[in-house]
Amino acid sequence: VLIMILFQLPCKIKFDMNKFQICCVFLSRMAVDVGSSGDWDGRWSHVQKFLERSGPFTHPDFEASDETLQFLLETCKILVIGAGGLGCELLKNLALSGFRHIHVVDMDTIDVSNLNRQFLFRSKDVGRPKAEVAADFVNSRVPGCHVVPHFKKIQDFDESFYRQFHIIVCGLDSIIARRWMNGMLLSLLVYEDGVLDPSSIIPLIDGGTEGFKGNARVILPGMTACIDCTLELYPPQINFPMCTIASMPRLPEHCIEYVRILQWPKEKPFGGTYMLILSGARLLINNLLLFVWSLCPTTYGVALDGDNPEHIQWVFQNSLERAAEFSITGVTYRLTQGVVKRIIPAVAAYIPLNNYLVFNDVDGLYTYTFEAERKENCSACSQVPQKLQFPPSAKLQEVLEYLTENSSLQMKSPAITATLEGKNKTLYLQTVASIEERTRPNLCKTLKELGLADGQELAVADVTTPQTVLFKLNFTS
Amino acid sequence: IMADQKTNKEQRYDRQLRLWGDHGQEALENAHTCLLNATATGTEILKNLILPGIGAFTIVDGHRVTGEDVGNNFFLSSDSIGKNRAQAATEFLQELNSDVSGNFVEESPDKLLDNDPEFFHRFSLVIGVQLPESTCLRLGSVLWSAGVPFLVCRTYGLVGYMRLVVKEHTVVESHPDNALEDLRLDQPFTELKNHISTYDLDSMEKKHDLQVPKNYKEKEAFRQLIREGIRKNESGAPEEEENFDEAIKNVNTALNPTKISSAVDDIFNSEQCENITSQTAAFWLMARGVRDFVQNEGNGSLPVRGTIPDMIADSDKFISLQNVYREKALQDAAVVAKHIQSHLQAVGKVTYPFNAGGLPVSPLCKNAAFLRVVRCRSLAEEYSVDSFHKDTITSCMDSPDSEMVLYLMLRAVDRFYQQHSRYPGVYNYQVEEDISTLKLCVNSLLQEYSLNVNVKDDYVHEFCRYGAAEPHTVASFLGGAAAQEAIKLITHQFVPFNNTFIYNAMAQTSTTFQL
């Protein structure tokens, strides 16, 4: 797909290679260590057929030249996000396609369950940072390749880091992280007199898999559909209603969730402190109840660690007891672990477009490629001001629910601030316990009571975006 | 019940066990696959079989490693140059997983076919990569007679190709993506009827001759009936009742008529299902047992599946409803088992050496509606002027840019190779000249098969441009696709493709044809 981007470009966007190269040479201030690449005869012959020969199906702007391989080998800087299943495959494919200046970011360490597909890791590497082991392996297997590892979260870097790359490829395992990355690249775009400067675009190639299904997409921030434009395409996460878990379980999963969400924080089997905040939360309505509950295990008491076999064993035994009470069968250790860790089954066969490719090999093999369309009022990339329409009598709670439940926004834990009486006031924020406690009463107040006016701007921050989203509040009658 | 401390293998393979289960894993660990040609495509396929723990692999390759080989292959190094490719690749691949047994044979496939064709009989699956047409056809014929599945794979420039050649492949656990539930609401069995009658709901009016609502109008009327059942509050407005909402939402899918699919019907009507002998394979014995049930105790229906979807209800009511279906399923499975047993006795067998505990009747009955058989045509049939699929090719070529043109081009470059002992455009100076030569090959191919289709010159040019290159990215994609099909064949779970898959890496599209 990467080679397609640079040299064939299935989408209809012009990409000026010369200008791009000049910009890139200018940008890469760090001396690029070409050194003795140790190249041998014929090393790049497979790749060269595509870089040095013209063809009838290449992009009209493509020019066959032997400079392009040099560009890949010496200048092009590419960032791979995630060194897991997709990441390992990506690093190998890029290295063998001529890319030498590769950075890889991953905040995880290696687990034994990774070894069935993350082929750059071995048993002896368990516990070490993925990014570092992956980089070591590729650098040693592919002479001349220089992978730089970062054992960090993507949020640990700012614009200055991301700006140095020509292309970014994601093999992430969370939608939140994807959206954050998407937002970061959007924030790098430069507009001059309302016209997008193409040299500020960093293409984003994103992929994801689940079992025997996968998808890949090409995003040119500011030009083609972004992650948020197609948010509704992502399947909803399975979360069982609280009343089912608490009093009407029917499936073994319900029993396991009961132990994870309700019993663990109550009994603190491996130690911890218990806060009264839990009982207070029961007064509020259902879905907010769920949310506060889910905060507890991490904030108060020893958190349930899905990788700790003792913890899983405890949950398993208690789930069996819970299930026995209701004559429910089917609770197994494997299921328990799967539910606690939200495990998605996975295999080694990762498959690294119009711009959106879907892959499914449950029955035969099937791919479908289509052009995802930009959303006119996308909250991430459209620059169209986002609106919030509520009557003044609406409670802040309703605004919060809208931000989290609306399928185009799907925020996780939005923090809402507004300018009132010339000062920046936090209306509600949940990610810091003390502020959550202080601002919680605001949820029950009406927008009018909070002093908000028609046409007021509300700033919303959330893990799904590195930039604050501005909303305009319109009062309805 | 004490949970066992998970073994290291269980931990390592956890994510895949959730897809194909312990029995699938066992099948994989008992498999031995043969790879012909350790090119990038070949080693990528093997990597994806070694990581999940295939029992053993054997690489057959007579080539010596070149600089080009090392350039696109993760499982070779510059130190390998000049060495035998089978051996060099085996060492790197073996290192991926010590549970797997790796072997190599330094011999060209053609030589082996000359001297010892029975060498190939020992494998669960043979994977042929970048094979010239003549070798491919010879091997295809040997493996067809021996009943060994053959998977042909090829990366040619920006085109990927796979061809599955297996006479008959049976699948009990096909794991369909969107299966309808087996609720039997249109023909409730006795125990279900009795159970439902214990509920305190107004009985349905017999307005529609005991048929379930069939079309949109009837389904709407049915939904309305449900709506009317919702309790009303003091002011006459309907209460919010989640279970009624759920019922209304599910009218379309819950009321599907209970019937047997044509795929399953075809299985019942197959010759193997009809004539049971002492040689009959387990699958057909089991299918016959199910067929007997359908024709007798089942009154035209399959054994009850026994699972129901989660529904909004209190625990007791749900569990007791679930048990009604479960118990019926167990009963039906026992009847099926009896039928199978009587066939076994009739052919003089007491039990079937299938696995410990006999034939897996329970999974059989759970999956009765999803049984599948895949039969691929042989390569000989595909290539013969008398039996090739002219209509398929011609109708696909109505769209001149359909992946079918890539298939025709691959056939044409094979022709070129036969005539010139090389592929077109390998060296830069050859590209121009080879275009017209390749075009002649295309024309002679079309003429031989009397194919009145138009192959655009652009494709002839593009295939010369490729110079038979094997870019790693395309090899990697095909490696994933092929390995997954191999796993399906070995585990007999999920449904393999039938029988030709073409991947177009230019447009990122793909198609499957039956040739």
Side-chain angles (χ1 to χ4, degrees), chain B residues 166-471:
Chain B
V166 59
K167 240 183 237 165
E168 179 182 280
H169 177 79
T170 60
V171 184
V172 172
E173 288 174 277
S174 55
H175 303 287
D177 242 346
N178 291 307
L180 290 173
E181 300 289 344
D182 187 27
L183 298 175
R184 303 292 167 112
L185 294 178
D186 59 336
Q187 15 166 291
F189 46 92
T190 314
E191 294 86 339
L192 180 61
K193 263 191 269 197
N194 294 343
H195 182 82
I196 300 296
S197 65
T198 67
Y199 291 141
D200 189 10
L201 285 176
D202 291 333
S203 48
M204 289 203 295
E205 287 177 4
K206 296 188 176 94
K207 262 196 268 197
H208 297 275
D209 302 324
L210 302 169
Q211 300 280 323
V212 288
K214 280 196 259 344
N215 53 35
Y216 178 75
K217 196 166 163 205
E218 287 182 12
K219 286 181 177 173
E220 249 321 289
F222 188 77
R223 282 191 196 94
Q224 194 46 37
L225 204 62
I226 298 175
R227 276 185 206 107
E228 280 159 21
I230 300 175
R231 271 197 311 237
K232 302 203 168 48
N233 63 20
E234 296 100 37
S235 35
E239 303 263 18
E240 237 187 71
E241 304 227 53
E242 288 179 302
N243 50 351
F244 279 86
D245 285 341
E246 190 182 57
I248 289 166
K249 258 193 227 145
N250 281 283
V251 164
N252 271 334
T253 48
L255 297 179
N256 53 296
T258 305
K259 66 173 190 242
I260 299 179
S261 75
S262 57
V264 176
D265 256 336
D266 287 344
I267 289 172
F268 289 160
N269 294 331
S270 291
E271 194 266 328
Q272 298 96 315
C273 195
E274 179 61 42
N275 301 322
I276 303 294
T277 71
S278 56
Q279 307 304 312
T280 300
F283 176 86
W284 295 108
L285 255 172
M286 297 198 289
R288 180 55 183 269
V290 176
R291 187 183 102 173
D292 289 345
F293 174 91
V294 170
Q295 290 171 349
N296 296 289
E297 298 87 352
N299 292 315
S301 296
L302 294 167
V304 165
R305 196 178 307 162
T307 54
I308 59 171
D310 190 25
M311 308 170 198
I312 295 167
D314 64 42
S315 312
D316 289 338
K317 291 210 181 67
F318 180 81
I319 301 295
S320 53
L321 180 67
Q322 191 181 52
N323 285 337
V324 169
Y325 283 92
R326 272 190 188 162
E327 274 151 28
K328 180 70 163 101
L330 284 172
Q331 263 178 49
D332 288 354
V335 175
V336 170
K338 276 222 192 79
H339 283 296
I340 296 175
Q341 201 55 40
S342 66
H343 283 289
L344 282 171
Q345 279 168 350
V347 298
K349 284 188 155 159
V350 174
T351 184
Y352 204 93
F354 191 73
N355 57 22
L359 290 163
V361 176
S362 168
L364 166 70
C365 291
K366 277 213 182 78
N367 288 283
F370 313 123
L371 302 178
R372 295 283 294 271
V373 178
V374 173
R375 292 185 181 94
C376 302
R377 296 197 336 141
S378 68
L379 287 175
E381 287 170 280
E382 175 185 340
Y383 279 67
S384 156
V385 175
D386 299 321
S387 58
F388 81 105
H389 273 167
K390 186 171 186 174
D391 289 342
T392 306
I393 297 176
T394 315
S395 61
C396 286
M397 287 302 288
D398 278 343
S399 325
D401 297 307
S402 124
E403 278 77 17
M404 183 57 79
V405 73
L406 303 175
Y407 168 77
L408 293 173
M409 285 311 308
L410 288 173
R411 293 286 303 263
V413 298
D414 279 341
R415 213 155 258 247
F416 188 105
Y417 185 84
Q418 239 166 18
Q419 290 165 16
H420 306 273
S421 300
R422 65 174 178 87
Y423 288 105
V426 174
Y427 294 102
N428 288 344
Y429 73 85
Q430 293 171 329
V431 180
E432 255 330 296
E433 290 172 16
D434 285 352
I435 291 175
S436 39
T437 317
L438 182 57
K439 185 155 187 189
L440 291 175
C441 295
V442 172
N443 292 337
S444 86
L445 174 77
L446 298 180
Q447 207 176 46
E448 185 180 323
Y449 289 88
S450 312
L451 280 168
N452 192 5
V453 298
N454 175 36
V455 173
K456 291 195 216 164
D457 284 346
D458 279 348
Y459 290 101
V460 180
H461 179 177
E462 182 74 1
F463 271 67
C464 282
R465 177 191 185 222
Y466 290 160
E470 192 184 8

Side-chain angles (χ1 to χ4, degrees), chain A residues 268-281:
Chain A
K268 308 177 315 293
F270 295 85
T273 49
Y274 183 60
M275 302 294 277
L276 286 171
I277 205 160
L278 292 176
S279 38

Side-chain angles (χ1 to χ4, degrees), chain A residues 4-21 50-51 53-65 68 198:
Chain A
M4 297 315 111
I5 284 282
L6 291 174
F7 316 117
Q8 311 247 122
L9 266 179
C11 46
K12 300 156 199 150
I13 309 302
K14 285 196 169 214
F15 210 67
D16 188 330
M17 195 49 132
N18 290 330
K19 193 167 169 187
F20 201 53
Q21 273 174 262
F50 302 96
L51 304 183
R53 294 179 178 188
S54 62
F57 300 113
T58 59
H59 191 276
D61 288 350
F62 170 69
E63 272 176 39
S65 146
T68 324

